[in-house]
Amino acid sequence: MTSFVGRRRELSEARQSLTRTRLLTLTGAGGLGKTRLALRLASEVKRSFPDGTWVVDLSPVEDSELLARTVVTALRIDRTSALPPMAALIAHLAESRSLLVLDNCEHLRDACAALTRALLAAAPDLQVVATSRQALGVDGECLLTVPPLSAPDPQCPPPLASMARYDTVQLFVERASAVVGGFRLTEEDRPAVAGICHRLDGMPLAIELAAAWLRVLSPRQILFYLNDRFGLLDRGCRVAPPRQQTLRAAIDWSYDLCTPQEQCGWARLSAFCGEFDLEAAEAVCVDDELDRRQILDVVSQLVDKSVLIRNGGHDTVRYRILETIRQYGRARLHQDSEETVVRRRHRDYYQELLARAESDWFSARQDAWFATLRREFANIRTALEFCLTAPQEGHAGLQLASSLWSHGLIAGGMDEARHWLGQALTLETGPSTARVKALWMDGWLAFLRGDTVVGRDRLAECQALAGRLGDAQSLAHAVEFGGLAALFENDFPAAAPLLEEALDRHRVTGDLWAQWTALFLLALTHCLTRDPRAAPMAQQCLALSETHDAPLARSYALWLLGLQHWLHGENRQAITRLRDGLRLTRSGCDLLGSAQCLEVLAWATAQEGDSEHAATLLGAAQTAWQSVGAALPGLGHLLHHHTECENRLRNALGDTAYDEAVRAGIELTRSQASDYALGSIAVAASNGTSEPAHTPLTRRERQVVELLAQGLTDRQIAAKLVISPRTAEGHVQRMLAKLGFTSRTQAATWALKESRLWHDSCAEESQPGR
């Protein structure tokens, strides 16, 4: 009765699967549209089955003894036959070429498996498509997991014209039109609809139930009330099967099919947000009720039953739970009075992970730890939320927030880090070494943000509390914090002795990372005052980072050496060092390191006389500084050089050309900015187009850009190449990034100019599907 939306990739995969298997099982969580997909598939392939395509709805069947009889009825076999139902089925299907769709098998899994196995053995031309929240477990079974529909990013929703590319948006708008005649997606509703589709995990049932509320609510109101999604979505179609009438009913159905151990695991795993691995699951779930040996089995069964989604990783498999299913589990956890205990175990696991990262940070595993913490940050954030909202957890929250020091600084997450630190410092005011650490961390970030008033307040309290506690490590950090504050305020005579003292104190405590930061700040102080000790100290910073093979620290040391060369008029040496430092920042998300290198590269390039290039680099640096959330470009003394560079370039280029070049740099992505600074691509600001220094495209990407030049959309490109629209979109984005373009028009223009050079090579790979 309603239109079928999306699922082109899944339909294509299902059709291909039916060419090589006789049993295809569509699996996935409740409400994801397995039934609709199976019916659509059956409709599309029915011509291949001259003896019929039959659909059997098993959801009303509760007794497995009635399974064969239900299939007999659906196939319209003469029920007056003396043969038992199973024998009648075999006799009817033995010589036929038919497709049998068994819908909703999960509650009769064993019986469905036995029936399917027997029918496939007796009828060589029979094929079966099953829908189930769990695989049937029959030999030769091919599984196709039905994923959520694609949803836009609510933090950065696409333009109105591009919203319809997302299946969730298309579904919402179509169902909304049925409820409110003439409903059209408007610019005003765009953010709310993106938020609804994202909050509901791309789950078709939930989106349809939400759209039904447009009778009485606006999209913005629906999004607001989704804070209680089960309350809002507990009204549905009264003539639908009970499990499909409401969102809660759909998930209740899955929950009731789980064993008590699986139900317990589901509830406890709801403590996670985003992805997690088996080690984390064990840490959170194990107790007297579930021992460690049982966790693997519970996780395996929850994956099989589509409660958990398996995601492949580089080293280990990771799992995630859809937010709607997670909230259901969280409610069960609360009902069982386990929420505080389980969330405390979750908090302890991530606190210990951060402690290990801190102790091992200044090492060859710096990049690996950084990647790990980025991957786990959703769970770290969840742990912080628990600590800062639950009674008696304030001190743990202070420890957790202050452990974000290295990660928060390098990731550029200064605003969020300060948010957590501010809350923790307000909540937990008692004297402790954790408070000292949080004070100097928040003060350091305040100075980087240009908030010197807060920075000075944090410094005063930090120094007073460290002196009161007498802890050696706290005193060392407090002294270093004083040197940092003086450095940011250009009080170099005060900064140098404080940083020297801090370095000596850190050597006594044995904290290598703290030693390196103090040495770096001391070398920077000498660099800015043209002290001859600057160069050997900067080299010492580089040598220390290389000895411990710490790549992120090495990038900062190279930036410092580049700055040193530039201040002494050695532009070429400066550019070499800065580019080397920039290369090291590309592997992770070191936004601060990227911003620093791009900034000083612009100064050195300007002095070399390449004004347009320098102005573009300034624009790229500006974007990087904004991403970091730091005050451009940090130290007041360096801000003076930024202003001088800007004035020099305006005089050389004129205001119009300068603004165009800066704008071209601002529009570059982080990857494009690095490529541009390293000479991999060239950007022509004057006409708004970009030209690659070389064309590092794969042949598939060349095919894509050729089709793009013909004016085709991502969906049309996907159809031409027999790939999914999402894959086509990914090819387009990677192609734009490689060529340094910011729009499809630029790529199309370039492709038309260059097509003669590589048209023949594209023809070599014209076979679809590769």
Side-chain angles (χ1 to χ4, degrees):
M1 297 297 291
T2 55
S3 60
F4 184 83
V5 175
R7 299 298 190 199
R8 291 188 180 184
R9 181 180 65 82
E10 290 81 6
L11 277 170
S12 175
E13 289 184 13
R15 285 199 305 269
Q16 292 177 20
S17 296
L18 286 178
T19 66
R20 58 180 184 269
T21 187
R22 296 178 60 210
L23 171 58
L24 172 65
T25 303
L26 307 181
T27 64
L32 284 179
K34 299 182 295 297
T35 297
R36 291 296 296 267
L37 179 60
L39 294 176
R40 184 70 168 196
L41 173 65
S43 175
E44 291 191 359
V45 302
K46 64 182 179 181
R47 292 183 181 178
S48 300
F49 298 94
D51 295 314
T53 299
W54 308 92
V55 179
V56 186
D57 180 10
L58 301 178
S59 59
V61 182
E62 297 181 3
D63 186 349
S64 60
E65 296 294 327
L66 300 177
L67 174 62
R69 188 174 300 280
T70 302
V71 180
V72 165
T73 301
L75 269 60
R76 302 171 192 166
I77 298 173
D78 184 5
R79 285 181 287 176
T80 63
S81 169
L83 292 174
M86 193 65 198
L89 275 177
I90 291 174
H92 180 80
L93 295 172
E95 303 298 329
S96 72
R97 177 160 177 73
S98 302
L99 177 67
L100 181 62
V101 178
L102 299 176
D103 189 29
N104 301 298
C105 299
E106 53 273 337
H107 62 304
L108 303 170
R109 177 174 175 255
D110 293 341
C112 285
L115 178 139
T116 302
R117 188 181 293 112
L119 291 180
L120 290 175
D125 291 324
L126 174 70
Q127 288 183 265
V128 177
V129 172
T131 73
S132 176
R133 302 183 193 190
Q134 186 175 12
L136 298 185
V138 176
D139 290 342
E141 179 181 28
C142 179
L143 299 178
L144 176 61
T145 300
V146 179
L149 295 176
S150 61
D153 181 357
Q155 301 301 320
C156 186
L160 185 63
S162 301
M163 285 282 283
R165 290 188 305 170
Y166 293 92
D167 292 338
T168 48
V169 175
Q170 187 181 348
L171 178 64
F172 183 89
V173 171
E174 289 198 13
R175 299 302 184 260
S177 300
V179 173
V180 180
F183 177 85
R184 296 289 183 273
L185 183 61
T186 65
E187 182 62 35
E188 182 181 6
D189 291 335
R190 178 176 62 96
V193 171
I196 291 168
C197 295
H198 183 268
R199 288 280 299 278
L200 294 177
D201 302 307
M203 186 178 286
L205 172 61
I207 291 168
E208 291 183 333
L209 294 173
W213 277 97
L214 283 172
R215 296 186 189 94
V216 291
L217 298 175
S218 70
R220 288 185 181 181
Q221 290 174 311
I222 292 173
L223 180 60
F224 173 78
Y225 283 109
L226 281 179
N227 290 322
D228 177 20
R229 67 185 65 193
F230 291 106
L232 182 67
L233 305 182
D234 267 4
R235 179 191 299 177
C237 177
R238 288 187 294 273
V239 297
R243 74 186 189 288
Q244 293 178 353
Q245 289 184 9
T246 70
L247 185 61
R248 187 187 302 277
I251 303 178
D252 279 340
W253 175 271
S254 292
Y255 187 81
D256 292 340
L257 292 174
C258 292
T259 66
Q261 285 186 334
E262 292 161 7
Q263 292 174 348
C264 178
W266 179 345
R268 292 178 182 182
L269 291 172
S270 70
F272 290 100
C273 180
E275 292 185 0
F276 58 92
D277 58 21
L278 187 60
E279 178 188 338
E282 290 173 346
V284 171
C285 293
V286 168
D287 66 358
D288 294 339
E289 189 173 349
L290 284 177
D291 63 40
R292 193 170 300 275
R293 292 170 300 177
Q294 294 172 306
I295 299 302
L296 177 59
D297 185 57
V298 167
V299 168
S300 174
Q301 290 302 315
L302 291 176
V303 170
D304 286 346
K305 292 179 177 177
S306 304
V307 176
L308 296 180
I309 297 173
R310 176 194 185 278
N311 288 340
H314 296 296
D315 301 316
T316 59
V317 170
R318 294 174 64 78
Y319 312 95
R320 68 183 177 94
I321 184 168
L322 294 178
E323 181 61 23
T324 301
I325 295 175
R326 174 178 176 257
Q327 287 198 15
Y328 181 94
R330 182 67 65 82
R332 292 283 184 171
L333 193 67
H334 182 74
Q335 289 174 13
D336 296 339
S337 302
E338 280 198 320
E339 186 171 11
T340 299
V341 172
V342 171
R343 294 196 69 183
R344 192 173 286 148
R345 288 202 294 258
H346 175 272
R347 184 275 317 282
D348 290 345
Y349 176 80
Y350 287 101
Q351 192 164 47
E352 194 271 336
L353 180 72
L354 280 168
R356 281 190 284 137
E358 274 196 298
S359 64
D360 194 35
W361 184 257
F362 195 56
S363 70
R365 292 169 295 280
Q366 204 165 49
D367 271 342
W369 274 118
F370 184 74
T372 296
L373 295 179
R374 290 289 290 181
R375 189 169 58 239
E376 300 289 0
F377 199 69
N379 278 301
I380 294 171
R381 184 186 287 122
T382 298
L384 280 163
E385 289 172 349
F386 167 70
C387 290
L388 300 177
T389 55
Q392 311 301 318
E393 299 294 336
H395 185 73
L398 197 62
Q399 290 179 314
L400 196 60
S402 60
S403 295
L404 296 174
W405 164 236
S406 300
H407 173 242
L409 177 61
I410 296 173
M414 295 186 189
D415 286 340
E416 182 167 355
R418 293 202 65 202
H419 165 76
W420 295 118
L421 285 164
Q423 283 198 345
L425 286 166
T426 300
L427 185 66
E428 181 66 21
T429 58
S432 66
T433 56
R435 184 169 180 82
V436 172
K437 184 179 180 182
L439 286 166
W440 67 254
M441 179 179 171
D442 189 53
W444 189 305
L445 296 176
F447 276 113
L448 282 172
R449 291 280 288 137
D451 191 351
T452 56
V453 174
V454 172
R456 273 288 169 188
D457 288 344
R458 295 300 196 212
L459 172 62
E461 186 180 352
C462 176
Q463 290 176 330
L465 183 55
R468 177 181 167 188
L469 295 174
D471 175 71
Q473 196 166 46
S474 297
L475 286 167
H477 281 299
V479 172
E480 182 181 353
F481 187 9
L484 174 84
L487 176 60
F488 268 91
E489 294 173 344
N490 296 327
D491 188 357
F492 303 117
L498 285 170
L499 292 170
E500 287 174 355
E501 181 185 347
L503 180 58
D504 291 338
R505 286 177 177 271
H506 286 314
R507 283 172 176 155
V508 171
T509 63
D511 188 335
L512 281 173
W513 177 238
Q515 287 178 47
W516 187 91
T517 58
L519 180 64
F520 173 83
L521 292 174
L522 182 58
L524 178 58
T525 301
H526 291 324
C527 178
L528 295 176
T529 56
R530 313 296 176 96
D531 190 304
R533 291 174 291 179
M537 275 195 177
Q539 287 289 352
Q540 190 179 347
C541 267
L542 181 61
L544 189 59
S545 62
E546 289 177 339
T547 298
H548 294 276
D549 199 17
L552 295 172
R554 186 166 178 262
S555 71
Y556 281 76
L558 288 166
W559 170 80
L560 180 58
L561 284 165
L563 177 63
Q564 170 77 6
H565 284 301
W566 178 77
L567 288 171
H568 286 80
E570 300 161 351
N571 291 324
R572 299 314 304 167
Q573 296 95 318
I575 290 172
T576 298
R577 291 292 197 180
L578 292 166
R579 284 180 169 177
D580 287 345
L582 188 62
R583 287 187 185 94
L584 290 171
T585 69
R586 301 182 71 185
S587 60
C589 293
D590 185 1
L591 300 176
L592 181 59
S594 295
Q596 291 181 150
C597 289
L598 289 168
E599 181 73 34
V600 184
L601 268 172
W603 305 346
T605 304
Q607 288 196 341
E608 285 292 287
D610 192 349
S611 300
E612 185 174 333
H613 190 173
T616 304
L617 286 172
L618 268 189
Q622 179 179 325
T623 298
W625 287 117
Q626 289 172 348
S627 298
V628 172
L632 177 75
L635 294 171
H637 202 74
L638 296 181
L639 182 59
H640 167 70
H641 295 302
H642 173 88
T643 304
E644 281 187 343
C645 180
E646 181 179 343
N647 292 335
R648 176 198 292 267
L649 294 175
R650 283 192 181 277
N651 291 333
L653 295 171
D655 288 343
T656 301
Y658 170 81
D659 290 339
E660 288 179 352
V662 169
R663 190 178 304 112
I666 289 172
E667 292 175 354
L668 294 175
T669 65
R670 181 175 172 237
S671 176
Q672 290 170 341
S674 294
D675 285 342
Y676 178 71
L678 297 172
S680 299
I681 61 171
V683 178
S686 58
N687 57 16
T689 62
S690 304
E691 301 260 349
H694 56 86
T695 56
L697 300 183
T698 64
R699 283 183 174 148
R700 172 61 90 198
E701 288 165 348
R702 289 177 175 181
Q703 287 178 307
V704 169
V705 75
E706 187 177 50
L707 293 172
L708 188 148
Q710 298 173 22
L712 272 62
T713 65
D714 290 346
R715 287 186 179 275
Q716 291 168 329
I717 291 172
K720 284 278 187 182
L721 299 179
V722 196
I723 57 178
S724 72
R726 186 175 300 175
T727 300
E729 182 181 0
H731 282 313
V732 170
Q733 295 303 318
R734 284 190 293 275
M735 176 270 298
L736 291 174
K738 285 184 177 182
L739 296 178
F741 297 139
T742 57
S743 73
R744 300 165 70 95
T745 303
Q746 293 172 348
T749 302
W750 174 82
L752 291 172
K753 282 200 310 181
E754 299 293 323
S755 60
R756 290 192 303 271
L757 299 178
W758 48 261
H759 181 78
D760 292 340
S761 65
C762 282
E764 294 175 8
E765 199 169 307
S766 59
Q767 297 179 9
R770 291 183 60 188

